[in-house]
Amino acid sequence: QVQFVESGGGLVQPGGSLRLSCAASGFTLKDYAIGWFRQAPGKEREGVACIEMRDDSSTHSTYYGDSVAGRFTISGDNAKYTAFLQMNSLKPEDTAVYYCATAVWGSTCPPLTTHYFAAWGQGTQVTVSS
């Protein structure tokens, strides 16, 4: 059973930065894709970013939601089955619980919608406030 554990969340002032980690266990694949999502109270879960992990490549294709492009950067470590999300220039609108999950159908990033991802973690709270 694949399980994810998110960490790194906390309280940060507007304009600040945080780095989230997503550690996977029970993963046996060499090639896979991990997505970051977030959900604020009263809102639907929103796709943030996705990274394609490749065992035979030093580079990984990445994709971002429009709301975070240019501010967030996703990266990963294939061997450690871990993904990261560097969050810069944070805004109050970024306040949410952040989750990670794996793409269901393969090692390429599907559209950033919850229907294509599974094995959700418990999430880590990110609060951006003065």
Side-chain angles (χ1 to χ4, degrees), residues 44-103:
E44 296 183 351
R45 194 163 297 187
E46 174 190 17
V48 174
C50 182
I51 182 168
E52 297 175 347
M53 303 290 208
R54 295 287 187 272
D55 184 58
D56 60 353
S57 178
S58 60
T59 59
H60 309 288
S61 296
T62 58
Y63 305 86
Y64 298 92
D66 292 339
S67 63
V68 305
R71 298 188 297 120
F72 293 7
T73 302
I74 188 171
S75 61
D77 187 327
N78 298 51
K80 297 181 179 180
Y81 297 106
T82 303
F84 306 96
L85 185 68
Q86 180 66 45
M87 310 165 63
N88 299 325
S89 302
L90 284 164
K91 305 175 181 179
E93 303 91 274
D94 296 317
T95 296
V97 177
Y98 284 71
Y99 303 88
C100 60
T102 185

Side-chain angles (χ1 to χ4, degrees), residues 3-10 19-24 33-51 63 68 72 74-75 83-87 94-103 112-114 117-126:
Q3 295 181 324
F4 290 98
V5 178
E6 302 93 339
S7 62
R19 185 170 184 259
L20 307 183
S21 297
C22 172
I34 295 177
W36 279 101
F37 292 76
R38 66 185 183 184
Q39 187 167 23
K43 297 184 178 180
E44 296 183 351
R45 194 163 297 187
E46 174 190 17
V48 174
C50 182
I51 182 168
Y63 305 86
V68 305
F72 293 7
I74 188 171
S75 61
F84 306 96
L85 185 68
Q86 180 66 45
M87 310 165 63
D94 296 317
T95 296
V97 177
Y98 284 71
Y99 303 88
C100 60
T102 185
L112 283 171
T113 176
T114 58
F117 293 83
W120 301 93
Q122 294 298 308
T124 184
Q125 177 70 50
V126 173

